[in-house]
Amino acid sequence: MPNRKSPGPSVKDAKTYEALRDEGASKEKAARIANAAANTSRSSVGRKGGEAGSYEDMTKDELLKRAREIGIEGRSSMTKSQLVSALRHH
């Protein structure tokens, strides 16, 4: 964490946030996970999920809708495989 500014008051678990940023997560994703960890416990955050279906099972229209919801830019010109990749790495 050398030469990094504080993530700000909206991030509730700075240690988790910085670890995720070091692993390459976006600021938004790191903040979302860090705040979820602060609301429960770090170990229970990893057990959440698993309820959503696979992106490969979704139609391109469903993928476009999801990409629009989370604000992925350039989504209208992406192929289905590009949308799946963008959603996974957001």
Side-chain angles (χ1 to χ4, degrees), residues 3-4 19-20 31 38-39 50-52 61 63 66 76 78-79 82:
N3 297 330
R4 280 209 184 147
L20 290 163
N39 288 337
E51 298 169 11
D61 287 338
L63 293 169
R66 181 66 182 132
S76 62
M78 291 182 182
T79 64
Q82 289 171 326

Side-chain angles (χ1 to χ4, degrees), residues 55 63 66-67 70 72 82-90:
Y55 285 133
L63 293 169
R66 181 66 182 132
I70 60 176
I72 294 176
Q82 289 171 326
L83 284 166
V84 168
S85 178
L87 287 165
R88 283 198 175 126
H89 295 99
H90 176 71

Side-chain angles (χ1 to χ4, degrees), residues 51-79:
E51 298 169 11
S54 171
Y55 285 133
E56 283 82 8
D57 295 337
M58 297 172 77
T59 66
K60 184 175 179 185
D61 287 338
E62 291 170 328
L63 293 169
L64 281 168
K65 181 180 178 188
R66 181 66 182 132
R68 186 178 316 114
E69 289 171 356
I70 60 176
I72 294 176
E73 294 185 20
R75 63 187 174 268
S76 62
S77 62
M78 291 182 182
T79 64

Side-chain angles (χ1 to χ4, degrees), residues 10-78:
S10 63
V11 174
K12 296 180 178 102
D13 187 342
K15 183 177 178 180
T16 300
Y17 174 86
E18 291 300 336
L20 290 163
R21 290 291 289 144
D22 290 342
E23 292 173 9
S26 69
K27 290 179 181 179
E28 180 181 345
K29 184 175 183 177
R32 191 169 52 241
I33 294 169
N35 288 342
N39 288 337
T40 57
S41 70
R42 288 187 180 123
S43 62
S44 72
V45 170
R47 290 191 302 265
K48 286 184 177 182
E51 298 169 11
S54 171
Y55 285 133
E56 283 82 8
D57 295 337
M58 297 172 77
T59 66
K60 184 175 179 185
D61 287 338
E62 291 170 328
L63 293 169
L64 281 168
K65 181 180 178 188
R66 181 66 182 132
R68 186 178 316 114
E69 289 171 356
I70 60 176
I72 294 176
E73 294 185 20
R75 63 187 174 268
S76 62
S77 62
M78 291 182 182

